Amino acid sequence: LSSHKDFKMKLIALLTIQALAASAFTGVPSSVSRSTLKHHNSAVSELFATTGETDGSISRREALQVASAAAVLATSTVVNADDEGAGGKLVEFTVNNLDGEEGKTGTFVVKTRPDWAPIGEERFVALAESSFFDGCRAFRVLPGFIVQFGINGDPAVQSKWRSSSLKDDPVKVSNSRGTVVFATAGPGTRTTQLFVNLGNNSFLDKQGFSPLGEVVEGMDVVERFYSGYGEGAPSGRGPNQGLIQKQGNSYLEASYPKLSYFSKVVAK
């Protein structure tokens, strides 16, 4: 490079092109963690560590500034493209009884995607905004497969929603890890029960399970839902869904006290 200025301009142009190219891929995560940026800056810093600041070179500080600017540009471009195309809301779940221990709490956030499943997404948001999920237990937790929830602790409340089933949404995206999906017993039977995929369960796609959103924060919290009771009755020793429908949380609190549950769910 002929000069310090030329070098900086070419580096900026290169990183900007890379940032804009990255924004074209809508499947990348919509956020970048501080640790990722720190790692990125550290790598660039190390790359230029032996260059020095002699004439015709770029300083470590300048390299970091350029790299950080490019990373922010790439991130903001991806976030805006994703948000504008998808719409939807953020729904925050506060969880108690993590690992089956009272007092252990955490949160996770679901971003809804009406472009994936508009009927299911609308119902999910309606449930969250009506405080339906508050107090609900995650009654079926199978590590590596799913976390299932969505039966209200009050049988009277559950009965009202259960009588209002939904038409099906076509499956537009796969049941990948972190996606949120309505449970179904067949065509036109979705009501209030949902699950979070703990693994890449693409075999569910052909069975009509249509994701309506995805966990965008706190997947590590979802992985800590208590799973010690195993599969539900009659296949296993876990909770019987029929009894949850009839007796609500009184049944679960007495027979399955370690179940993780939602103390508060807020749609933003």
PDB file of all heavy atoms in Angstrom, residues 8 15 18 22 24 38 42 53 70 77 81 85 98 113 117 120 137 171 174 178 188 201 208 231 236 238:
ATOM      1  N   LYS A   8      -5.932   2.498   5.197  1.00  0.00           N
ATOM      2  CA  LYS A   8      -7.142   2.604   6.009  1.00  0.00           C
ATOM      3  C   LYS A   8      -8.390   2.601   5.134  1.00  0.00           C
ATOM      4  O   LYS A   8      -9.382   1.933   5.444  1.00  0.00           O
ATOM      5  CB  LYS A   8      -7.101   3.877   6.853  1.00  0.00           C
ATOM      6  CG  LYS A   8      -6.125   3.816   8.004  1.00  0.00           C
ATOM      7  CD  LYS A   8      -5.886   5.159   8.639  1.00  0.00           C
ATOM      8  CE  LYS A   8      -7.137   5.776   9.202  1.00  0.00           C
ATOM      9  NZ  LYS A   8      -6.895   7.064   9.846  1.00  0.00           N
ATOM     10  N   LEU A  15     -14.080  -4.244   4.799  1.00  0.00           N
ATOM     11  CA  LEU A  15     -14.934  -4.670   5.902  1.00  0.00           C
ATOM     12  C   LEU A  15     -16.379  -4.243   5.682  1.00  0.00           C
ATOM     13  O   LEU A  15     -17.308  -4.941   6.087  1.00  0.00           O
ATOM     14  CB  LEU A  15     -14.408  -4.095   7.220  1.00  0.00           C
ATOM     15  CG  LEU A  15     -13.071  -4.690   7.688  1.00  0.00           C
ATOM     16  CD1 LEU A  15     -12.588  -3.976   8.937  1.00  0.00           C
ATOM     17  CD2 LEU A  15     -13.191  -6.172   7.944  1.00  0.00           C
ATOM     18  N   GLN A  18     -17.921  -6.747   3.378  1.00  0.00           N
ATOM     19  CA  GLN A  18     -18.201  -7.984   4.104  1.00  0.00           C
ATOM     20  C   GLN A  18     -19.445  -7.822   4.972  1.00  0.00           C
ATOM     21  O   GLN A  18     -20.265  -8.733   5.083  1.00  0.00           O
ATOM     22  CB  GLN A  18     -17.003  -8.376   4.971  1.00  0.00           C
ATOM     23  CG  GLN A  18     -15.802  -8.826   4.153  1.00  0.00           C
ATOM     24  CD  GLN A  18     -14.603  -9.129   5.030  1.00  0.00           C
ATOM     25  OE1 GLN A  18     -14.460  -8.573   6.118  1.00  0.00           O
ATOM     26  NE2 GLN A  18     -13.752 -10.015   4.564  1.00  0.00           N
ATOM     27  N   ALA A  22     -22.934  -9.891   4.577  1.00  0.00           N
ATOM     28  CA  ALA A  22     -23.477 -10.691   5.683  1.00  0.00           C
ATOM     29  C   ALA A  22     -24.944 -10.390   5.901  1.00  0.00           C
ATOM     30  O   ALA A  22     -25.726 -11.257   6.286  1.00  0.00           O
ATOM     31  CB  ALA A  22     -22.694 -10.417   6.969  1.00  0.00           C
ATOM     32  N   ALA A  24     -27.201 -10.011   3.879  1.00  0.00           N
ATOM     33  CA  ALA A  24     -28.076 -10.674   2.916  1.00  0.00           C
ATOM     34  C   ALA A  24     -28.583 -12.015   3.409  1.00  0.00           C
ATOM     35  O   ALA A  24     -29.545 -12.559   2.893  1.00  0.00           O
ATOM     36  CB  ALA A  24     -27.338 -10.869   1.586  1.00  0.00           C
ATOM     37  N   LYS A  38     -15.884  -8.888  21.456  1.00  0.00           N
ATOM     38  CA  LYS A  38     -14.602  -8.870  22.133  1.00  0.00           C
ATOM     39  C   LYS A  38     -13.629  -9.820  21.469  1.00  0.00           C
ATOM     40  O   LYS A  38     -12.461  -9.512  21.256  1.00  0.00           O
ATOM     41  CB  LYS A  38     -14.788  -9.238  23.609  1.00  0.00           C
ATOM     42  CG  LYS A  38     -13.488  -9.188  24.420  1.00  0.00           C
ATOM     43  CD  LYS A  38     -13.764  -9.519  25.877  1.00  0.00           C
ATOM     44  CE  LYS A  38     -12.471  -9.483  26.691  1.00  0.00           C
ATOM     45  NZ  LYS A  38     -12.727  -9.829  28.099  1.00  0.00           N
ATOM     46  N   SER A  42     -10.239  -8.820  19.550  1.00  0.00           N
ATOM     47  CA  SER A  42      -8.994  -9.429  20.003  1.00  0.00           C
ATOM     48  C   SER A  42      -8.249 -10.063  18.851  1.00  0.00           C
ATOM     49  O   SER A  42      -7.026  -9.956  18.739  1.00  0.00           O
ATOM     50  CB  SER A  42      -9.295 -10.474  21.081  1.00  0.00           C
ATOM     51  OG  SER A  42      -8.111 -11.129  21.476  1.00  0.00           O
ATOM     52  N   GLU A  53       3.652   0.761  14.290  1.00  0.00           N
ATOM     53  CA  GLU A  53       3.026   1.988  13.829  1.00  0.00           C
ATOM     54  C   GLU A  53       3.999   2.774  12.964  1.00  0.00           C
ATOM     55  O   GLU A  53       4.026   3.993  12.982  1.00  0.00           O
ATOM     56  CB  GLU A  53       2.560   2.819  15.024  1.00  0.00           C
ATOM     57  CG  GLU A  53       1.514   2.110  15.863  1.00  0.00           C
ATOM     58  CD  GLU A  53       0.974   2.988  16.968  1.00  0.00           C
ATOM     59  OE1 GLU A  53       1.087   4.215  16.859  1.00  0.00           O
ATOM     60  OE2 GLU A  53       0.443   2.454  17.942  1.00  0.00           O
ATOM     61  N   ALA A  70     -17.311  -1.902  11.542  1.00  0.00           N
ATOM     62  CA  ALA A  70     -17.825  -2.850  10.553  1.00  0.00           C
ATOM     63  C   ALA A  70     -18.723  -3.885  11.198  1.00  0.00           C
ATOM     64  O   ALA A  70     -19.753  -4.266  10.645  1.00  0.00           O
ATOM     65  CB  ALA A  70     -16.669  -3.542   9.835  1.00  0.00           C
ATOM     66  N   THR A  77     -27.493  -4.012  10.341  1.00  0.00           N
ATOM     67  CA  THR A  77     -28.137  -4.276   9.060  1.00  0.00           C
ATOM     68  C   THR A  77     -28.956  -5.545   9.122  1.00  0.00           C
ATOM     69  O   THR A  77     -30.092  -5.601   8.671  1.00  0.00           O
ATOM     70  CB  THR A  77     -27.075  -4.389   7.945  1.00  0.00           C
ATOM     71  OG1 THR A  77     -26.301  -3.202   7.912  1.00  0.00           O
ATOM     72  CG2 THR A  77     -27.737  -4.596   6.587  1.00  0.00           C
ATOM     73  N   ALA A  81     -33.125  -5.785   8.851  1.00  0.00           N
ATOM     74  CA  ALA A  81     -33.725  -6.582   7.787  1.00  0.00           C
ATOM     75  C   ALA A  81     -34.635  -7.650   8.366  1.00  0.00           C
ATOM     76  O   ALA A  81     -35.738  -7.891   7.875  1.00  0.00           O
ATOM     77  CB  ALA A  81     -32.637  -7.225   6.941  1.00  0.00           C
ATOM     78  N   GLY A  85     -38.863  -7.489   8.114  1.00  0.00           N
ATOM     79  CA  GLY A  85     -39.489  -8.539   7.340  1.00  0.00           C
ATOM     80  C   GLY A  85     -40.399  -9.420   8.169  1.00  0.00           C
ATOM     81  O   GLY A  85     -41.362  -9.975   7.661  1.00  0.00           O
ATOM     82  N   LEU A  98     -36.052 -23.609  38.459  1.00  0.00           N
ATOM     83  CA  LEU A  98     -35.067 -24.144  37.532  1.00  0.00           C
ATOM     84  C   LEU A  98     -34.299 -25.267  38.213  1.00  0.00           C
ATOM     85  O   LEU A  98     -33.996 -25.192  39.407  1.00  0.00           O
ATOM     86  CB  LEU A  98     -34.095 -23.048  37.080  1.00  0.00           C
ATOM     87  CG  LEU A  98     -34.657 -21.991  36.132  1.00  0.00           C
ATOM     88  CD1 LEU A  98     -33.621 -20.919  35.849  1.00  0.00           C
ATOM     89  CD2 LEU A  98     -35.136 -22.628  34.829  1.00  0.00           C
ATOM     90  N   ARG A 113     -43.117 -14.861  15.101  1.00  0.00           N
ATOM     91  CA  ARG A 113     -42.929 -14.689  13.668  1.00  0.00           C
ATOM     92  C   ARG A 113     -44.252 -14.905  12.918  1.00  0.00           C
ATOM     93  O   ARG A 113     -44.566 -16.013  12.488  1.00  0.00           O
ATOM     94  CB  ARG A 113     -41.864 -15.677  13.160  1.00  0.00           C
ATOM     95  CG  ARG A 113     -40.465 -15.449  13.721  1.00  0.00           C
ATOM     96  CD  ARG A 113     -39.889 -14.127  13.244  1.00  0.00           C
ATOM     97  NE  ARG A 113     -39.795 -14.086  11.793  1.00  0.00           N
ATOM     98  CZ  ARG A 113     -38.654 -14.313  11.112  1.00  0.00           C
ATOM     99  NH1 ARG A 113     -37.536 -14.594  11.755  1.00  0.00           N
ATOM    100  NH2 ARG A 113     -38.649 -14.253   9.795  1.00  0.00           N
ATOM    101  N   ALA A 117     -46.205 -18.381  10.873  1.00  0.00           N
ATOM    102  CA  ALA A 117     -47.476 -19.029  11.224  1.00  0.00           C
ATOM    103  C   ALA A 117     -48.420 -17.978  11.802  1.00  0.00           C
ATOM    104  O   ALA A 117     -48.533 -17.834  13.021  1.00  0.00           O
ATOM    105  CB  ALA A 117     -47.245 -20.150  12.233  1.00  0.00           C
ATOM    106  N   GLY A 120     -51.224 -19.205  14.431  1.00  0.00           N
ATOM    107  CA  GLY A 120     -50.632 -19.635  15.695  1.00  0.00           C
ATOM    108  C   GLY A 120     -49.982 -18.487  16.441  1.00  0.00           C
ATOM    109  O   GLY A 120     -50.095 -18.384  17.674  1.00  0.00           O
ATOM    110  N   ARG A 137     -47.161 -24.769  34.504  1.00  0.00           N
ATOM    111  CA  ARG A 137     -46.015 -25.656  34.680  1.00  0.00           C
ATOM    112  C   ARG A 137     -45.549 -26.220  33.331  1.00  0.00           C
ATOM    113  O   ARG A 137     -46.375 -26.439  32.437  1.00  0.00           O
ATOM    114  CB  ARG A 137     -46.383 -26.833  35.595  1.00  0.00           C
ATOM    115  CG  ARG A 137     -46.119 -26.634  37.085  1.00  0.00           C
ATOM    116  CD  ARG A 137     -46.841 -25.466  37.681  1.00  0.00           C
ATOM    117  NE  ARG A 137     -46.531 -25.339  39.120  1.00  0.00           N
ATOM    118  CZ  ARG A 137     -46.830 -24.288  39.852  1.00  0.00           C
ATOM    119  NH1 ARG A 137     -47.476 -23.247  39.311  1.00  0.00           N
ATOM    120  NH2 ARG A 137     -46.510 -24.248  41.139  1.00  0.00           N
ATOM    121  N   VAL A 171     -46.579 -25.484   7.319  1.00  0.00           N
ATOM    122  CA  VAL A 171     -45.225 -25.501   7.889  1.00  0.00           C
ATOM    123  C   VAL A 171     -44.277 -24.810   6.918  1.00  0.00           C
ATOM    124  O   VAL A 171     -43.998 -25.319   5.833  1.00  0.00           O
ATOM    125  CB  VAL A 171     -44.755 -26.941   8.166  1.00  0.00           C
ATOM    126  CG1 VAL A 171     -43.344 -26.932   8.759  1.00  0.00           C
ATOM    127  CG2 VAL A 171     -45.725 -27.639   9.108  1.00  0.00           C
ATOM    128  N   SER A 174     -38.479 -25.198   9.524  1.00  0.00           N
ATOM    129  CA  SER A 174     -38.269 -26.475  10.193  1.00  0.00           C
ATOM    130  C   SER A 174     -38.320 -26.347  11.711  1.00  0.00           C
ATOM    131  O   SER A 174     -38.113 -25.265  12.281  1.00  0.00           O
ATOM    132  CB  SER A 174     -36.915 -27.058   9.772  1.00  0.00           C
ATOM    133  OG  SER A 174     -36.736 -28.358  10.316  1.00  0.00           O
ATOM    134  N   GLY A 178     -34.795 -24.410  19.478  1.00  0.00           N
ATOM    135  CA  GLY A 178     -35.187 -23.080  19.905  1.00  0.00           C
ATOM    136  C   GLY A 178     -36.485 -22.575  19.324  1.00  0.00           C
ATOM    137  O   GLY A 178     -37.009 -21.554  19.770  1.00  0.00           O
ATOM    138  N   GLY A 188     -56.453 -29.208  12.792  1.00  0.00           N
ATOM    139  CA  GLY A 188     -57.435 -28.330  13.410  1.00  0.00           C
ATOM    140  C   GLY A 188     -57.629 -28.517  14.896  1.00  0.00           C
ATOM    141  O   GLY A 188     -58.714 -28.223  15.412  1.00  0.00           O
ATOM    142  N   ASN A 201     -35.525 -31.098  15.412  1.00  0.00           N
ATOM    143  CA  ASN A 201     -36.548 -32.134  15.246  1.00  0.00           C
ATOM    144  C   ASN A 201     -37.268 -31.998  13.901  1.00  0.00           C
ATOM    145  O   ASN A 201     -38.489 -31.851  13.834  1.00  0.00           O
ATOM    146  CB  ASN A 201     -37.547 -32.056  16.403  1.00  0.00           C
ATOM    147  CG  ASN A 201     -36.882 -32.269  17.748  1.00  0.00           C
ATOM    148  OD1 ASN A 201     -36.013 -33.125  17.891  1.00  0.00           O
ATOM    149  ND2 ASN A 201     -37.280 -31.493  18.746  1.00  0.00           N
ATOM    150  N   GLY A 208     -46.984 -31.716  10.456  1.00  0.00           N
ATOM    151  CA  GLY A 208     -47.831 -30.536  10.552  1.00  0.00           C
ATOM    152  C   GLY A 208     -47.527 -29.587  11.695  1.00  0.00           C
ATOM    153  O   GLY A 208     -48.315 -28.671  11.958  1.00  0.00           O
ATOM    154  N   GLU A 231     -41.219 -38.851  30.847  1.00  0.00           N
ATOM    155  CA  GLU A 231     -42.399 -38.833  29.985  1.00  0.00           C
ATOM    156  C   GLU A 231     -43.670 -38.916  30.822  1.00  0.00           C
ATOM    157  O   GLU A 231     -43.716 -39.504  31.891  1.00  0.00           O
ATOM    158  CB  GLU A 231     -42.334 -40.012  29.000  1.00  0.00           C
ATOM    159  CG  GLU A 231     -43.484 -40.108  28.012  1.00  0.00           C
ATOM    160  CD  GLU A 231     -43.613 -38.892  27.111  1.00  0.00           C
ATOM    161  OE1 GLU A 231     -44.250 -37.897  27.564  1.00  0.00           O
ATOM    162  OE2 GLU A 231     -43.085 -38.943  25.989  1.00  0.00           O
ATOM    163  N   GLY A 236     -45.052 -42.920  30.841  1.00  0.00           N
ATOM    164  CA  GLY A 236     -44.032 -42.762  31.873  1.00  0.00           C
ATOM    165  C   GLY A 236     -44.653 -42.386  33.197  1.00  0.00           C
ATOM    166  O   GLY A 236     -45.862 -42.446  33.374  1.00  0.00           O
ATOM    167  N   GLY A 238     -44.448 -39.382  34.554  1.00  0.00           N
ATOM    168  CA  GLY A 238     -44.697 -37.948  34.627  1.00  0.00           C
ATOM    169  C   GLY A 238     -46.171 -37.614  34.733  1.00  0.00           C
ATOM    170  O   GLY A 238     -47.033 -38.496  34.784  1.00  0.00           O
TER     171      GLY A 238
END
